[in-house]
Amino acid sequence: MADAFYVPLGAGRFLPTEHTSGPWTPDAQHFGPPSALLVRALEEVPAQREMMLSRVTVEILGPAPLRELTLTARLERPGKAVEYLSAELATDERVVARASAWRLAASDTSDVSAGLAEAPPAPGTCPPADWPSSWLGGYLQAVEWRVISGEVAGPGAAAVWARQRVALVDGEKPSRLQRLFAIADSGSGVSGRLDPAEWWFINSELTVHLQRPPSGEWIGLDATTTIGPNGVGTATSRLHDEGGQVAIGAQALLVRPR
């Protein structure tokens, strides 16, 4: 098995490895790697000037199987300062996920930067996460996890540091945003309020609003879940690097008994 989430096959085709498999079944991917792969495609859409992805939404249209996938991306709306992009991940039979993104012209606003949370304690000061033995390896083992606060396998809000142990695509170094999106989809899992053996809390999408690209390999995830009275919830996250906040993430959740 390659030391990566995906093996490139050429012509926009990728083969998932067992590193992508989620904690509940070996037959479906955790949606961190597919989200990062979609961002990879968005980053490859040519720009005429220096621009930055400001918001990316990944719509999850069904389980992502561990078989060959085709990735495409395009510029939907060009512009001088604001552009709209899309990407799609599909098997031969169906579309697995679609991503949409706004790309904005970059400029220097460092003198007026405000409202960003400070970084949590450094990863080296935080203990390793202890995942339940009943949760499958795959993605969980392909990422190094450090617990900042809360219980990652228990109920309630929690914060973690996470670092990929493997590449996104074999033979490539992941970009800063690819590293971010490989982790961002874990917010609902880290902050689940309910016992996953008794409840489903399935996210149908992931939306990330970016303030700046992260630096370094570690991504901080400070997450909490709220649950309404009608089977719908929301997981929200502040995403960090070791210098402070870089993005805000949110996931719509379907909540129901198993």
Side-chain angles (χ1 to χ4, degrees):
M1 181 170 57
D3 201 22
F5 288 124
Y6 299 98
V7 176
L9 303 177
R13 296 173 299 120
F14 297 86
L15 183 65
T17 72
E18 294 177 9
H19 292 308
T20 66
S21 62
W24 313 121
T25 172
D27 301 322
Q29 300 179 53
H30 184 284
F31 240 89
S35 298
L37 195 63
L38 285 161
V39 165
R40 177 184 180 275
L42 294 170
E43 289 183 306
E44 290 187 342
V45 176
Q48 299 302 313
R49 58 197 56 82
E50 185 182 358
M51 304 192 84
M52 175 180 160
L53 293 176
S54 67
R55 190 276 289 159
V56 177
T57 295
V58 176
E59 307 286 4
I60 301 172
L61 304 181
L66 271 73
R67 64 176 188 268
E68 184 179 317
L69 299 167
T70 300
L71 182 66
T72 57
R74 59 187 175 272
L75 177 61
E76 300 278 3
R77 177 200 179 276
K80 293 182 178 180
V82 178
E83 294 185 331
Y84 182 69
L85 291 71
S86 67
E88 187 172 279
L89 193 62
T91 66
D92 289 339
E93 295 85 18
R94 63 179 176 86
V95 177
V96 171
R98 291 192 179 99
S100 63
W102 288 103
R103 187 166 66 181
L104 308 183
S107 62
D108 185 1
T109 53
S110 55
D111 288 344
V112 293
S113 177
L116 302 175
E118 295 182 359
T125 67
C126 302
D130 185 18
W131 300 106
S133 58
S134 60
W135 293 18
L136 303 178
Y139 172 80
L140 289 182
Q141 291 182 355
V143 176
E144 180 180 358
W145 302 89
R146 297 270 175 172
V147 180
I148 301 168
S149 63
E151 297 182 27
V152 293
V160 297
W161 285 110
R163 177 171 62 177
Q164 286 178 237
R165 300 182 194 268
V166 302
L168 177 64
V169 174
D170 192 32
E172 296 182 7
K173 181 179 179 180
S175 74
R176 295 186 289 172
L177 288 186
Q178 290 165 27
R179 289 187 181 278
L180 181 72
F181 277 82
I183 304 303
D185 189 65
S186 298
S188 58
V190 165
S191 66
R193 289 183 177 272
L194 302 170
D195 184 347
E198 298 181 5
W199 290 85
W200 296 107
F201 40 96
I202 304 169
N203 65 300
S204 59
E205 56 86 39
L206 166 68
T207 297
V208 176
H209 287 266
L210 296 141
Q211 289 85 56
R212 64 173 175 85
S215 297
E217 296 184 344
W218 287 99
I219 301 297
L221 184 68
D222 188 351
T224 187
T225 290
T226 57
I227 300 174
N230 299 305
V232 175
T234 309
T236 55
S237 307
R238 286 188 184 269
L239 294 150
H240 302 263
D241 62 13
E242 293 188 67
Q245 180 181 325
V246 300
I248 295 173
Q251 298 160 286
L253 304 178
L254 168 69
V255 183
R256 66 180 184 185
R258 282 182 176 268

